[in-house]
Amino acid sequence: MLMRTDPFRELDRIAQQFLGTGGTWSRPSAMPMDAYRDGDDYVLALDLPGVSPEAIDIDVERNMLTVKAERRPVAGNDDVHMELAERPLGVFSRQVMLADTLDTENIRADYDAGVLTVRIPVAERARARKITVRGGADRKQLSG
């Protein structure tokens, strides 16, 4: 139901993780993501520690879901002198191609403890349903 859009993006993500660099608006870094099905929902869990909810942007255009976020430096005054800065700053983005069988009109997103959870319901027309099989006696009642 979900497809990766760029096979080399994972290599970029791993390299940036080891180098500790963040992205820019023109070339955002990837964010780690898990994707799984939970009942009638597909769930995306994206790690965004240290990002405020206001700095997260989620868009859906046709069947492309795009999540962008920006981790900004900790606001400080002139008395603050950074001794160590290992956490990547900058822009992070992830795009996921959604199947036609998902209901993009009812996507929900929650952010808690640095994890953005996006729930995408399976469209009603794509859900499994039971089909009743009628016997010969049932057909006679309908036609007569």
Side-chain angles (χ1 to χ4, degrees):
M1 291 282 188
L2 305 172
M3 299 178 349
R4 290 183 183 262
T5 56
D6 183 359
F8 298 103
R9 187 138 184 145
E10 187 66 14
L11 293 173
D12 286 342
R13 185 188 68 77
I14 292 169
Q16 289 171 351
Q17 186 177 5
F18 283 116
L19 297 174
T21 59
T24 63
W25 282 107
S26 61
R27 187 160 170 81
S29 298
M31 59 190 83
M33 177 181 79
D34 290 338
Y36 55 93
R37 184 161 178 176
D38 180 14
D40 287 333
D41 287 343
Y42 269 92
V43 181
L44 307 177
L46 299 115
D47 286 347
L48 292 170
V51 174
S52 70
E54 297 81 29
I56 300 172
D57 186 37
I58 304 171
D59 291 316
V60 176
E61 185 174 337
R62 295 190 182 141
N63 286 6
M64 181 68 71
L65 175 84
T66 303
V67 178
K68 277 194 174 183
E70 183 176 11
R71 184 179 302 127
R72 298 178 180 107
V74 176
N77 56 35
D78 292 335
D79 295 333
V80 175
H81 299 283
M82 186 63 78
E83 296 292 329
L84 179 66
E86 293 180 346
R87 296 175 21 192
L89 302 174
V91 180
F92 301 86
S93 178
R94 195 68 184 248
Q95 288 188 314
V96 179
M97 180 69 77
L98 304 177
D100 290 334
T101 56
L102 298 177
D103 182 359
T104 59
E105 298 295 320
N106 292 301
I107 295 175
R108 300 176 314 276
D110 297 300
Y111 184 66
D112 184 40
V115 177
L116 175 66
T117 304
V118 179
R119 292 185 159 276
I120 310 156
V122 174
E124 189 67 39
R125 68 182 184 281
R127 293 184 186 161
R129 59 192 175 279
K130 194 76 168 162
I131 306 298
T132 304
V133 178
R134 298 184 304 186
D138 292 336
R139 283 197 341 237
K140 288 179 186 174
Q141 287 178 341
L142 292 176
S143 60

